Every structure is written in structure tokens, then in C-alpha cells.
Amino acid sequence: DLCVGLAESASVSSLPKLRNVQFTEAEIKELKYAALLHDFGKVGVRESVLVKEKKLSAGSLENIRYRILLAKERLKTEALSKQIALLRQGGCDESHLTEIDRQLTSDATMLEQFYSANVDQVLITAGLTKIAGQATHSVNLYHANEDPQNPRGGRHNGRKFTGLAYNLLYRLSAQHTPYVRASIQDVEHDSEHPVFFNTIRSDDNETVTAGWLWTVARNLVVTGEASYTDNKSDIELFDYSRFRYQLGFRYHF
């Protein structure tokens, strides 16, 4: 409403700088739709998703990094324990000790490759948006293929996924805009997982979200959101269900 109001005011303004600025009825309508889609885009896709370079957030990647470092220390401890046991038994030649060191280096390298494996991603997406009165509907269909740049880092890091998402935003007034979002996604990994039971991982993910936008002032918007995610995998370790609640605000300077 504010965006359209500014355009209408500019059209009738007597200021010299705005003398040649005139918006037709069609342009005003187009501007209104653009403003609605702009607001809808802020709701439909969170910024953390848009700017995320990898499948996991920076915090999650850091946690995985710490776990890998811990696993490497455990491997070192186990290798040292084996060497000490052989020395205590007596009659151990150097080749046995060297083989334990070689296996330790190989296992540690594999762990490091699991963490550092990068992927090339190709994403194809199609969307449809319809504005009907105060409601804005959006449907998006996407398919992507991710291939690891370094196959030695684990071909299981490659995957193909297909998803469908639906968003509904309803402008109750200039200040209040509730919205809902629902999505389903199917993920198929390229090869067997080397750690989890040598199974090719396949996941089905469903997410439902409901939220509210409250425009407190021209430059301040408060957002509340609740979501539920259910992920089913053929590797039971990756099964999970979770609720997420968040409250935030955007302030434009």
C-alpha cells in the first residue's frame, strides 16, 4: 500500500523533479503486484536458505568437524593400543607396527575426505504465482543433481533430489500478513554409504510452516513462525521429526 501510494503521489506532484513522472493505471497495478511478490519472497524463502552454500549450515558443519577430529583421536588411541599390545606380547617385528600406522593414516584421510568433499550442483526449478485479491499463491517444482568434485571423498555425497513447495500469503491489512508453507522432497543418494551399513541412502522429507508478519512501522517488521519437519530415511539413524519456533524482526535503516 505504501509503495502504490508513493507512486500515485509522484504522479500528481507539482515538484519540478517529478513533473515528467506519470504512472498509468496498468503501471500502478503492476507495481502493486511487484510489491506483493517482494513481500512474499521474504516469506517464501528464508535468507539462511538463499545464502547457504552447502547442505548444512555453518554451525552444523562446525559440529561435524569437531566430531571428525574426535574420531581421528580415537583412531590414534586404538592404533597406539594395538602397537603396545604387540610389543608386550614380544616377537613383534617392525612390519606389524608399520601396517598399523599405515591403516591409521588411511582411516584418518578417509574421515578428512568425508568432511571436505565438495559437490557440483545443477538445479532446475519452475514456479507459478497467482494473486487473487488479498491472497497470493505460489507453487514451485524443482529437481537438482549434486556430484562430488572429488569421488575419493565419497560418492555417497552425490545425490538427486526432487521437491514440490506451496506457499500462501494472505494480507489481512497493511500491518498484518499471515502465511503458510508446505513442502515435500525426495532425496536419492548416488552410492552406498561407507559407514552406515553399506546402504544407499534414500530420504523423504515433509515440512509444514505457519507464520505471521506484523508491520509495526514503515521500517520495522516483526515475524513469528512455527514449523514441523518429518524426515524418513532407509537408514534409521537419519530419521527425525522436529518442531522449530522462531521470532525475529527486520529493521530497515
Side-chain angles (χ1 to χ4, degrees), residues 202-217:
S202 175
D203 290 12
D204 292 313
N205 184 283
E206 300 175 353
T207 300
V208 178
T209 301
W212 198 284
L213 286 175
W214 176 28
T215 304
V216 182

Side-chain angles (χ1 to χ4, degrees), residues 113-131:
Q113 289 175 340
F114 288 160
Y115 176 79
S116 60
N118 293 318
V119 296
D120 293 321
Q121 184 186 80
V122 177
L123 175 64
I124 301 173
T125 181
L128 177 65
T129 299
K130 179 179 180 180
I131 300 175

